[in-house]
Amino acid sequence: MRDLTFRDRLFPFGGGNTTKLALVYFFGNLYFYLPVSTLYLQSKGLNYVQVNSLWGIIVGTMFATEVPTGVIADRLGRKRSINAALALQVVGEVIFIFAYSYWQFALAAVIGGLGFAFSSGSVEALVYDSLRMRLREDEMSKAMGFISAGKQSANLLAFAIGGVLITNLTQERFVLAIAVTACAVAVGWIVSLTLREPRLEVEPADGESSLALMMDGVRMLQGNRQFRRLVLLALATIPFRDYLLNLYQPHFVNAGVPSVWLGLGLALASAVGIFTARYAYLLETRLGTELSLLLVTGLPGVLYLVMAVTPHPTLLVLVFCILLGSSSFKEPIFSHHLNKYIESKNRATTLSLISMVSGIYVALMGLLIGRIGDFSLTYAFIFMGAIVIAGSLLFRWVESA
């Protein structure tokens, strides 16, 4: 067996779909303006309620279109679905540049949500079927970790460069950062055009209806006990990353953390996320399936509890970085196990169905977490930690179950 070269180690999947999707995720997540997006929206006259509602519009759009876009991906091809996702993302960013009223920003949010829905399920389906075509489907967790590391690398770079682009909080600097972001996303769209649709022996029947594809996924959840338990474990241990990003800032301020660490902490957490996503597959190799799933689902919950009771600013930043970064362990491993149960013909539909249920759960929990956070940020972190730990233990994966 030949020794691996530096290029082999850097690009373990060669020039195929997995590597291309890592590049798509990298360019598609270079959001240079994200750290100051609220300030930009306020400069356009939006209040806090309107600013917060834009994310709700994105989630609502995704909820309404998750399954239909998954069906489209299964019927017309996952490559085309990903192409459409990136194209819509570019359009959304362009509208964001020129928008000056709440309803125009809301339109950008709808288009962005639709784009996210098109990519949901399609990316995993394309990766798994591409690996399966080359008899490498056992490397799914490694492949998804590689792609997730590309996303985390983009976050790290964007947060670092964003501070340089927006040295002054002026309209010109805001627009520059958004324009550069739109150009980066456009590059991701161009890369997505080079993806190749895998051709497998099992293809969707030409006469099979969209409803049939969706019902196949529902029956899969109802009839396969192992698959259903795995899905429940995945849903019950969602690490609430978005809510952590909303709450860590005031928590840092209350703990006396210097303001410079609001951005630096996020950048360091992204660096940890690059490592955890890239090498998540090694956990299962070293620990086995049961223990690795227990670790990746329960660890964020434990760290939430630690973050809630840590009074020292330096330790608080360290715990935050490990918490946010370690949450990247989960997706690659679960992608591998979930896709083993799903047929190719309705893979994107079933994954989108799971994502839709996940969106409902996260949205409802967000209301409760926000209400607790209004009363006490410490209690909010304790609540999130307790929920994650309880889900990890209640639906703990046992091979013989």
Side-chain angles (χ1 to χ4, degrees), residues 126-334:
L126 183 66
V127 172
Y128 191 84
D129 285 342
S130 298
L131 292 173
R132 184 182 168 199
M133 189 173 66
R134 300 171 61 189
L135 303 179
R136 296 179 65 179
E137 59 265 40
D138 288 343
E139 297 183 51
M140 181 63 177
S141 59
K142 182 178 181 180
M144 290 305 298
F146 180 70
I147 292 171
S148 182
K151 177 180 178 180
Q152 297 288 345
S153 299
N155 291 337
L156 177 60
L157 184 63
F159 296 147
I161 296 180
V164 177
L165 288 177
I166 314 176
T167 52
N168 298 313
L169 300 178
T170 63
Q171 284 294 315
E172 292 75 14
R173 289 290 182 171
F174 284 144
V175 172
L176 173 62
I178 300 171
V180 174
T181 297
C183 291
V185 176
V187 173
W189 172 71
I190 293 172
V191 175
S192 76
L193 297 177
T194 69
L195 294 169
R196 300 185 66 179
E197 193 74 39
R199 299 297 177 186
L200 300 172
E201 294 180 4
V202 180
E203 297 287 347
D206 292 336
E208 191 160 10
S209 68
S210 300
L211 180 61
L213 288 174
M214 184 181 72
M215 292 310 298
D216 283 345
V218 174
R219 281 190 289 270
M220 180 74 176
L221 287 167
Q222 292 176 335
N224 191 311
R225 182 182 176 185
Q226 288 282 75
F227 180 67
R228 184 172 63 250
R229 188 177 184 86
L230 192 63
V231 171
L232 288 173
L233 177 61
L235 294 178
T237 57
I238 289 173
F240 305 117
R241 287 173 58 96
D242 291 328
Y243 302 128
L244 173 60
L245 292 177
N246 288 338
L247 298 179
Y248 89 93
Q249 300 171 40
H251 192 59
F252 274 18
V253 172
N254 293 341
V257 175
S259 59
V260 67
W261 285 102
L262 294 175
L264 284 179
L266 203 54
L268 288 175
S270 298
V272 176
I274 294 171
F275 177 82
T276 56
R278 182 68 179 82
Y279 297 105
Y281 72 97
L282 292 177
L283 277 181
E284 197 164 2
T285 302
R286 301 286 194 274
L287 304 178
T289 301
E290 292 184 18
L291 189 55
S292 61
L293 286 178
L294 179 62
L295 177 63
V296 301
T297 55
L299 180 60
V302 173
L303 291 173
Y304 267 121
L305 298 183
V306 175
M307 187 170 176
V309 299
T310 300
H312 195 279
T314 302
L315 291 178
L316 183 59
V317 173
L318 179 62
V319 173
F320 166 75
C321 292
I322 298 174
L323 168 56
L324 188 60
S326 66
S327 65
S328 297
F329 269 132
K330 183 183 173 185
E331 182 182 355
I333 295 177
F334 271 85

Side-chain angles (χ1 to χ4, degrees), residues 1-15 142 146 278-279:
M1 183 177 180
R2 69 182 179 86
D3 293 332
L4 293 177
T5 65
F6 175 76
R7 181 177 179 180
D8 292 331
R9 295 180 185 278
L10 190 61
F11 300 107
F13 296 93
K142 182 178 181 180
F146 180 70
R278 182 68 179 82
Y279 297 105

Side-chain angles (χ1 to χ4, degrees), residues 384-399:
M384 289 189 284
I387 289 294
V388 172
I389 292 173
S392 178
L393 296 176
L394 182 62
F395 299 106
R396 180 177 178 180
W397 180 259
V398 179
E399 290 287 0

